[in-house]
Amino acid sequence: LGVQEPVGFWDPLAFTADGDVLAFKRRRCVELKHGRISMLATMGYITPELTGKFPGFLAPSAGLKFADIPTGLAAVSKIPALGWAQMVAYAGYCELSGPTTRAANTSDYADIVPGDYSFKVLTSSDPAEKDKKLRAELANGRLAMMAIIGMFFQDGLTGSAWGDWALYTGSPLRAFEN
């Protein structure tokens, strides 16, 4: 699982050259987890632009409405400390409620199925169909990891995740404009 067309097996840094199955399993678990987080982050970046924001107040005591929070990286400085505390607490809950593994300790991964976090979303009684769904999740997760990094990069340079390069006057590519 993970060898995808059109690239096929691709390991330019030879991480799998030693043949350590548990190390590969750990990397696959981490790849699936980061892919899922990136898919959520990418949708979180896009959704407010397409559907709008929640009505009402984010912080009633501060008079801060959801509509007052900009999208993208500009939101980081606008969210109150208690909001950040709630997000950190939820992230901690998600981390601690999953499989218990120690960083880089591959023996912890012997009995773990990559991507299994106590609920089954991608299931099928047909093994070929399940394999197809798992391959799609890997491919979509890989794409989402690249997409969210690209959105962060564009947002950091231009102030917009949608790449309004007219706002980035310091671009070295401006040298080629007439």
Side-chain angles (χ1 to χ4, degrees), residues 29 34 58 74 96 113 137 153-154 163 165:
C29 288
H34 288 158
L58 173 67
L96 296 173
V113 175
E137 180 186 24
F153 183 75
Q154 283 183 263
W165 290 103

Side-chain angles (χ1 to χ4, degrees), residues 56-69 78-80:
F57 287 89
L58 173 67
S61 60
L64 184 63
K65 294 181 178 183
F66 285 104
D68 298 336
I69 303 294
K78 305 291 188 246
I79 298 172

Side-chain angles (χ1 to χ4, degrees), residues 49-62:
E49 293 289 331
L50 297 176
T51 64
K53 298 176 182 173
F54 290 123
F57 287 89
L58 173 67
S61 60

Side-chain angles (χ1 to χ4, degrees), residues 29 33 40-41 44 56-57 69 77-78 86-87 90 96 99 103 115 128-129 132 141 151 162 170 176:
C29 288
K33 187 175 198 177
L40 289 170
F57 287 89
I69 303 294
S77 63
K78 305 291 188 246
Q86 290 171 354
M87 286 187 270
Y90 179 69
L96 296 173
E129 182 66 22
K132 178 183 171 188
M151 288 177 182
W162 317 119
F176 300 106

Side-chain angles (χ1 to χ4, degrees), residues 44-116:
Y45 233 93
I46 295 169
T47 302
E49 293 289 331
L50 297 176
T51 64
K53 298 176 182 173
F54 290 123
F57 287 89
L58 173 67
S61 60
L64 184 63
K65 294 181 178 183
F66 285 104
D68 298 336
I69 303 294
T71 53
L73 297 177
V76 172
S77 63
K78 305 291 188 246
I79 298 172
L82 189 55
W84 281 109
Q86 290 171 354
M87 286 187 270
V88 168
Y90 179 69
Y93 167 76
C94 290
E95 283 291 322
L96 296 173
S97 65
T100 304
T101 57
R102 295 163 288 179
N105 188 347
T106 57
S107 65
D108 290 349
Y109 291 84
D111 299 325
I112 294 175
V113 175
D116 184 10

